DNA sequence: CGACCATTTGATATGGATCAAGCGATGTGG
DNA sequence: CCACATCGCTTGATCCATATCAAATGGTCG
């Protein structure tokens, strides 16, 4: 839900006016959905742990991260939380074909996010084949991401953690040093493991000198070959 | 690979000519991708266990099942097989946005399948917004299916089997009696369990009178409420 | 009828969960 | 500026769900 926040802690929303609106509209034509969002989106800020939208709410907006990180997740009756995805600067999320969101979304840390109305894009897609294809493209990308995630859940704990580290290294692209914005609990809920197992596995990889852990949120890949082997 | 089969057992392909080709072209306009495939598709027959396409092969065709059942799967280096989906009469599969297939596809039993060239549909989508939207729609449907599957893999063995039975009951819609075309191994590889665990869980559900097992491939849902509870 | 394959059932092993405690960094109030 | 509370993470001990290994049963087809 975009326009009101139920809990004080969720009051992460600052009025758009506080942020310099993206007024400059370059003569450039958008070549993909991301560029298109740069042109059309309104920036909003969210505090750490702020809810961006909730599962089941109507999916009226599409989001693109300018800065910060986001998690999407689903809660189960038994209290378990499954994280569906992490999103980072440049990533788009929240676009659904159906009427409402299948997952909830929260800011992992302080975020600035471009927001545009879905109806605007969908209406445009009716007239513009390029836009239509971009919407398809985005959904196909999500499909392939979820397929990978599904396959991840069939692997051993060590394999899952290794895949996770490689994915982060690739997406956050900062050489061998990976800065993790999310907690061990977030990682555990993404990999469907417990925090204890995640922690033990990281310790174990560090013992084998496959990685180094200068701090708990900073991970150095010291032996990518070994990690790739676990990836398979 | 569509035009040649490497193994004798895979020689499931009969020339189209042996099957009455869908010559009748009704004046009706297609309202969705399935109807469109009925109009455009050429029927082909596959024997039990015949390969329809292999992972990594170029995704030149799209498929719609007339009769029979299909599994898609991925093999891992360690010999594990993960089944990605089961498809039944009326279902479309094999449509990719990218150049090649992410999974392999095999006939579970004797199948008749309509086949059309992807390029034909994609070219049409460039001109026809309805077709474009149908392609997006299909991919979005696959996305939501895979998301459900991913969440399934985070549940207990009993929950997975219960969800599986409910899914089959819904999709094959024959009242309380579910006729399963696939083996226990197929089910196990879909749910990421062993055949032993699948078998034991079914036996256990039968003991609790939640289901009945008149034969190993025929399952009667005797207490859907109990299954729904496990579904969550 | 007999061979073969799919399925079930039984005995044991194990990877990861759970329960519990300790540790280190960060922040807060005195 | 330090004492202490808090929170996130790690480490240790034990348990349990499901895998693994092994054998029996049943169904199908020549």
């Amino acid at each position: 839900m975009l326009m009101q926040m139920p809990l004080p802690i969720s009051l992460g929303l600052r009025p758009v006016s506080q942020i310099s609106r993206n007024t400059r509209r370059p003569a450039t034509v958008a070549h993909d959905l991301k560029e298109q969002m740069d042109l059309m989106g309104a920036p909003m800020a969210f505090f750490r742990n702020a809810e961006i939208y909730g599962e089941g709410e109507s999916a009226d907006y599409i989001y693109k991260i300018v800065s910060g990180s986001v998690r999407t997740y689903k809660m189960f009756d038994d209290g378990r939380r499954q994280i569906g995805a992490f999103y980072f600067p440049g990533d788009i999320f929240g676009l659904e074909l159906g009427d409402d969101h299948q997952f909830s979304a929260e800011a992992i840390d302080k975020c600035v996010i471009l927001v545009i109305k879905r109806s605007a894009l969908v209406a445009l897609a009716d007239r513009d084949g390029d836009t239509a294809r971009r919407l398809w493209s985005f959904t196909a990308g999500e499909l392939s991401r979820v397929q990978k995630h599904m396959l991840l859940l069939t692997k051993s704990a060590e394999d899952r953690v290794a895949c996770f580290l490689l994915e982060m290294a690739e997406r956050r692209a900062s050489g061998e040093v990976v800065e993790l914005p999310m907690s061990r609990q977030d990682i555990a809920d993404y990999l469907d493991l417990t925090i204890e197992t995640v922690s033990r596995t990281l310790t174990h990889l560090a013992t084998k000198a496959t990685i180094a852990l200068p701090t708990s949120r900073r991970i150095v890949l010291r032996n990518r070959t070994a990690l790739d082997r676990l990836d398979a």
Side-chain angles (χ1 to χ4, degrees), chain A:
Chain A
M1 133 188 345
L2 203 64
M3 290 311 147
Q4 66 193 78
M5 295 289 155
L7 299 170
I9 195 176
S10 292
L11 282 167
L13 205 75
R14 275 197 286 155
V16 170
S17 55
Q18 290 190 21
I19 312 241
S20 69
R21 176 151 179 129
N22 199 356
T23 43
R24 185 172 35 84
R25 288 279 181 276
T28 332
V29 177
H31 288 92
D32 61 17
L33 197 54
K34 289 179 177 184
E35 288 184 24
Q36 206 157 352
M37 296 241 1
D38 288 339
L39 301 177
M40 298 172 72
M44 299 185 79
F46 293 85
F47 295 135
R48 194 164 99 91
N49 293 325
E51 176 176 291
I52 299 165
Y53 55 76
E55 179 187 344
E57 289 177 10
S58 111
D60 296 330
Y61 298 90
I62 308 169
Y63 305 83
K64 181 183 167 187
I65 302 184
V66 175
S67 66
S69 320
V70 167
R71 62 180 167 251
T72 58
Y73 66 93
K74 211 156 192 148
M75 292 296 309
F76 292 99
D77 300 342
D78 58 12
R80 279 189 311 123
R81 178 184 71 158
Q82 178 63 41
I83 289 187
F86 295 116
Y87 296 100
F88 303 116
D91 292 342
I92 287 172
F93 66 95
L95 170 59
E96 311 267 353
L97 179 75
D99 283 341
D100 33 45
H101 288 295
Q102 299 302 304
F103 287 74
S104 303
E106 281 176 0
I108 290 175
D109 46 19
K110 206 160 158 294
C111 284
V112 176
I113 298 177
L114 294 179
V115 183
I116 77 163
K117 284 203 86 112
R118 182 180 63 157
S119 55
L121 215 46
V122 169
L124 182 54
D126 281 342
R127 287 172 281 119
D128 175 27
D130 280 345
T131 301
R133 190 177 171 86
R134 281 169 207 154
L135 294 181
W136 183 27
S137 231
F138 170 80
T139 300
E142 283 292 287
L143 173 59
S144 118
R145 187 186 56 69
V146 178
Q147 270 168 347
K148 262 190 79 176
H149 192 182
M150 189 257 280
L151 295 173
L152 190 66
L153 298 185
T154 70
K155 294 171 187 257
S156 72
E158 192 169 54
D159 289 359
R160 291 186 213 184
V161 171
C163 289
F164 171 75
L165 292 178
L166 287 171
E167 188 197 336
M168 289 303 123
E170 190 168 326
R171 293 178 59 192
R172 323 212 67 219
S174 46
E176 303 304 291
V177 182
V178 183
E179 208 70 50
L180 298 175
M182 72 287 284
S183 69
R184 292 289 187 270
Q185 189 63 63
D186 286 339
I187 299 171
D189 290 349
Y190 178 72
L191 300 178
D192 191 31
L193 297 170
T194 57
I195 36 173
E196 291 95 330
T197 298
V198 170
S199 179
R200 272 188 252 271
T201 305
L202 288 171
T203 306
H204 180 228
L205 289 172
T207 308
K208 295 195 297 181
T210 306
I211 62 171
L213 290 159
T215 76
S216 71
R217 301 283 182 109
R218 176 176 297 133
I219 295 182
V220 184
L221 310 186
R222 301 185 60 183
N223 185 350
R224 210 181 266 255
T225 322
L227 287 174
D228 284 330
R229 230 188 335 268
L230 294 172
D231 190 12

